[in-house]
Amino acid sequence: SMQFIVMPHSAMTELLAGGETGSKLWEEVFALTKDGRARILETGMIACRSGEKALIESVREEIFPIETQEIGAIGCGGSGRMWGDVDKQLPKHRSITAFQIRNTGTLLEAEARVLEGERFVELRLVPELVTRLRLETMIEYSDKHGDASIRMPIFETWRTNTFLTLRAGRFRLVSVFSPKQQVPVPFLDSRVLLFVRADVLP
């Protein structure tokens, strides 16, 4: 299982000053979520056999254009210029020729191997949290039919690719992210902590 927890930068620095990165740190951070000084953003869980890979995706497929082609008219206006040369920059004279799909949401890929004695677990972990922040206007255009501006999505991704050994049944701090999106008060200057725990199931 994994947890993304957001908290103020100053509070995180104070907690990490002691060098603790295990279950004790998670307990202190989780205690802050109860009085509003931290917030759990996402939780993911997955089960797999020892030595094998597993993957979960909880996503929305967002499709957006990435290539356009100019469409020119055949013929000349009264000035002798090609119609396509005059209006080729207008969105109505552009045809979308290629799209791209981006998965937004939570992805977790894991490969776990239980060590002898079942006290420790070797874990290869690739968690990813993707969010669409906004639509960026690339070309502004409007006509009698309304707004026809060309906009592209701006995404934010928190991703970790790591391999570590965990004590079974205990949380461990894996990484810290610096969010680029605006986080509401009191988390304006915030950090996102990623914790992971591996349990050996009977």
Side-chain angles (χ1 to χ4, degrees):
S1 60
M2 66 171 185
Q3 287 184 350
F4 288 88
I5 303 179
V6 63
M7 63 188 307
H9 188 188
S10 57
M12 183 206 70
T13 302
E14 183 178 346
L15 288 175
L16 293 181
E20 177 65 40
T21 60
S23 289
K24 182 179 178 180
L25 174 64
W26 177 83
E27 291 172 359
E28 293 175 342
V29 172
F30 189 75
L32 296 180
T33 65
K34 297 181 179 180
D35 58 13
R37 289 185 291 167
R39 188 171 75 245
I40 299 176
L41 296 179
E42 183 62 279
T43 300
M45 300 182 67
I46 193 171
C48 65
R49 295 177 59 183
S50 178
E52 297 188 1
K53 295 181 181 180
L55 172 69
I56 60 170
E57 294 183 353
S58 180
V59 300
R60 178 177 61 224
E61 295 182 346
E62 299 210 11
I63 185 170
F64 54 94
I66 58 173
E67 292 182 10
T68 60
Q69 182 179 13
E70 296 173 357
I71 301 176
I74 300 176
C76 294
S79 62
R81 292 181 297 175
M82 294 295 293
W83 294 331
D85 294 337
V86 176
D87 295 335
K88 66 182 181 180
Q89 297 301 323
L90 300 182
K92 66 182 180 180
H93 287 285
R94 289 177 175 267
S95 175
I96 297 174
T97 58
F99 290 86
Q100 181 172 318
I101 294 177
R102 182 71 179 271
N103 289 333
T104 59
T106 305
L107 299 91
L108 173 60
E109 180 180 340
E111 180 179 359
R113 185 169 70 89
V114 180
L115 301 181
E116 187 176 353
E118 298 187 351
R119 295 179 57 198
F120 294 91
V121 177
E122 283 188 347
L123 181 66
R124 187 184 70 83
L125 187 72
V126 189
E128 186 173 297
L129 189 61
V130 183
T131 307
R132 177 166 63 82
L133 298 183
R134 65 185 184 277
L135 293 175
E136 192 79 9
T137 300
M138 301 301 177
I139 299 177
E140 291 188 2
Y141 176 76
S142 61
D143 56 18
K144 63 181 180 181
H145 301 293
D147 184 17
S149 301
I150 296 178
R151 297 181 174 88
M152 299 291 288
I154 304 297
F155 298 98
E156 180 173 357
T157 302
W158 301 336
R159 180 188 301 114
T160 295
N161 189 336
T162 187
F163 188 91
L164 65 163
T165 301
L166 303 174
R167 185 180 291 273
R170 297 187 183 180
F171 273 105
R172 171 81 176 273
L173 178 65
V174 174
S175 57
V176 176
F177 301 98
S178 300
K180 301 300 181 283
Q181 62 180 332
Q182 184 175 358
V183 181
V185 177
F187 308 109
L188 290 177
D189 183 17
S190 60
R191 294 296 182 268
V192 177
L193 284 67
L194 172 62
F195 289 93
V196 64
R197 187 184 74 199
D199 297 298
V200 180
L201 303 179

